[in-house]
Amino acid sequence: MKVSLRKTSLVDYPGKVAGVLFFPGCNLRCPWCHNRELVVGGEDGLIDIEEALGFISKRKQVLGGVVLSGGEPLLFYGLPQVIRKIKSLGLAVKIDTNGTNPAALEKICSDAETRPDYIALDLKLAPSRYAELLAEVNPQSTPTVSEKLLHGAEFIKSSQIPHEYRTLALPNNFITAKDIEELAPLVDESPWYFRLFRPGNCLDPGWDAMEVPGMEEANALAHKAKELGKKGISPTGGRY
């Protein structure tokens, strides 16, 4: 298994200096995703997972934690072994996930040796629209991707693991207040961060030419979350 390694990050793990492992592969095809090569393959600079863990081991006195991101890290069958190795170094583990693989999440959370210390759940669109993010839609497939997301979000809420939610403000009002209304039941009292879409290397190259939404659009989504009783936090850090 090969991964991409960010050796040091000050922004990916709240309150910790962290290394970040990016796992290739994802079950979603968000057209705005800027990790194109991680999703479809062809990423340069991937290194063997053992090499990445070796580097983290050497840096364990500097790092406070390791972020497992992607792609979608919960698709990697060897993830429990990776988490055990990181935790054996005395480092905390954060999972970045799209929430649509609840069985894998429940599996790692059920074992003290693989239970993450922090979870970030990406909420992309209203659950009823998640089929738009699949490469292929099989109407006979059950549970649906929306049902899996709802299951995953409910599990995170009940897990007692510190967590946060993340949503992007997208061009051309691709996500609206109506999406936030549908997403709100998935969110508890934990922070819900709103950030701006960034063009460049998008999975759908057509999105690279799209205009970055204005700060006021992200603020409006965060404000809508606040109206619904959530801790919506704007890109400038304003809490609504």
Side-chain angles (χ1 to χ4, degrees), residues 100-178:
T100 62
N101 297 279
L105 182 59
E106 290 181 24
K107 180 180 179 181
I108 63 170
C109 291
S110 66
D111 185 336
E113 294 184 353
T114 60
R115 185 178 173 86
D117 302 282
Y118 196 95
I119 299 172
L121 174 59
D122 290 324
L123 297 174
K124 301 174 185 299
L125 297 170
S128 62
R129 297 181 61 193
Y130 263 60
E132 299 175 27
L133 305 178
L134 296 175
E136 295 181 2
V137 178
N138 179 359
Q140 307 301 322
S141 178
T142 57
T144 66
V145 66
S146 298
E147 291 169 337
K148 291 178 180 177
L149 171 66
L150 297 175
H151 185 164
E154 284 302 313
F155 176 78
I156 291 171
K157 283 198 290 187
S158 64
S159 69
Q160 299 185 331
I161 297 173
H163 54 274
E164 67 181 44
Y165 305 92
R166 309 187 302 193
T167 296
L168 286 180
L170 298 168
N172 300 329
N173 293 314
F174 197 79
I175 180 170
T176 68
K178 185 174 184 301

Side-chain angles (χ1 to χ4, degrees), residues 179-236:
D179 291 273
I180 302 305
E181 289 177 356
E182 288 193 41
L183 285 170
L186 281 62
V187 174
D188 60 14
E189 71 280 0
S190 297
W192 189 356
Y193 294 99
F194 291 84
R195 297 289 183 263
L196 295 175
F197 156 79
R198 290 183 300 163
N201 200 39
C202 288
L203 184 61
D204 180 347
W207 280 66
D208 287 329
M210 292 188 181
E211 187 174 347
V212 177
M215 191 67 72
E216 65 277 8
E217 295 178 56
N219 289 343
L221 296 178
H223 189 263
K224 183 62 181 179
K226 170 62 177 176
E227 287 182 343
L228 296 166
K230 311 302 178 183
K231 289 182 181 175
I233 300 175
S234 74
T236 54

